[in-house]
């Protein structure tokens, strides 16, 4: 196991906390496997702050570039398929919408210090690209079935 991919069972942190925490000197993050829940990532506060600083800086630069330079949106549209290969399956108007939403969502998420919305937005666009990559699926999802299935229940009232 490389230093970058250090992983231990959560029980090691509980039972051998000093030895387990000492591993953070060798690696930036420690993956904690849990039997009864989602795995956790342990890092130092300084490392987490560094990571947030880098993401924030990249977000601000991308956002400023996208708004300032006349040809920057075209450049962003050109590089999106390199950064996100699945974007090649999106129709051209959707690629533009994806680029705008990416910059706007990154900027908004950075303003509150929470990147969950970026991950969610990227996943949604990737699923959209997956639909466009499969002609059978695209046809099934875009054709008019000629049937009204009634009013959809309010998801807020579902338990």
């Amino acid at each position: 196991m490389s230093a970058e991919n250090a992983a231990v069972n959560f029980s090691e942190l509980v039972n051998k906390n000093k030895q387990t925490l000492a591993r953070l000197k060798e690696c930036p993050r420690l993956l904690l496997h849990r039997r009864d829940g989602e795995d956790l990532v342990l890092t130092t506060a300084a490392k987490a702050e560094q990571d947030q600083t880098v993401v924030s800086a990249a977000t601000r630069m991308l956002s400023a570039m996208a708004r300032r330079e006349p040809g920057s949106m075209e450049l962003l549209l050109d590089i999106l398929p390199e950064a996100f290969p699945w974007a090649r399956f999106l129709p051209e108007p959707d690629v533009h919408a994806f680029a705008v939403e990416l910059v706007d969502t990154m900027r908004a998420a950075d303003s509150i210090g929470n990147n969950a919305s970026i991950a969610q937005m990227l996943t949604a666009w990737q699923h959209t690209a997956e639909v466009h990559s499969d002609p059978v699926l695209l046809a099934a999802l875009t054709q008019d079935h000629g049937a009204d299935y009634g009013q959809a229940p309010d998801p807020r009232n579902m338990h």
Side-chain angles (χ1 to χ4, degrees):
M1 175 184 337
S2 73
E4 291 132 13
N5 298 320
V8 297
N9 291 324
F10 185 79
S11 59
E12 286 186 51
L13 176 64
V14 173
N15 298 324
K16 302 175 186 174
N17 58 29
K18 287 183 183 179
Q19 298 94 320
T20 305
L21 292 174
R23 295 184 70 178
L24 286 174
K25 292 178 183 173
E26 306 164 11
C27 61
R29 288 174 200 79
L30 189 59
L31 179 63
L32 301 172
H33 295 294
R34 297 188 324 164
R35 278 186 291 199
D36 59 348
E38 188 175 0
D39 289 348
L40 302 174
V41 175
L42 184 63
T43 191
T44 65
K47 179 62 179 152
E49 188 175 330
Q50 287 174 349
D51 290 349
Q52 183 57 42
T53 298
V54 169
V55 170
S56 183
T59 296
R60 285 180 299 202
M61 288 178 6
L62 178 63
S63 179
M65 182 193 78
R67 284 194 308 272
R68 185 176 271 184
E69 294 297 321
S72 62
M73 185 51 83
E74 288 74 23
L75 175 61
L76 182 57
L77 292 170
D78 285 345
I79 64 170
L80 273 179
E82 187 174 328
F84 305 101
W86 47 260
R88 287 178 171 83
F89 295 114
L90 294 171
E92 194 170 323
D94 285 357
V95 175
H96 188 271
F98 169 51
V100 169
E101 187 176 350
L102 177 62
V103 171
D104 290 348
T105 303
M106 288 178 69
R107 191 165 166 255
D110 182 57
S111 75
I112 61 171
N114 186 333
N115 294 323
S117 59
I118 301 168
Q120 182 180 12
M121 185 260 327
L122 288 170
T123 300
W125 275 108
Q126 184 173 2
H127 289 319
T128 301
E130 289 169 1
V131 168
H132 284 283
S133 74
D134 183 340
V136 174
L137 182 57
L138 181 62
L141 293 174
T142 56
Q143 71 178 327
D144 183 5
H145 295 282
D148 184 352
Y149 297 103
Q151 185 173 354
D154 187 339
R156 295 171 294 192
N157 296 332
M158 300 179 82
H159 298 281

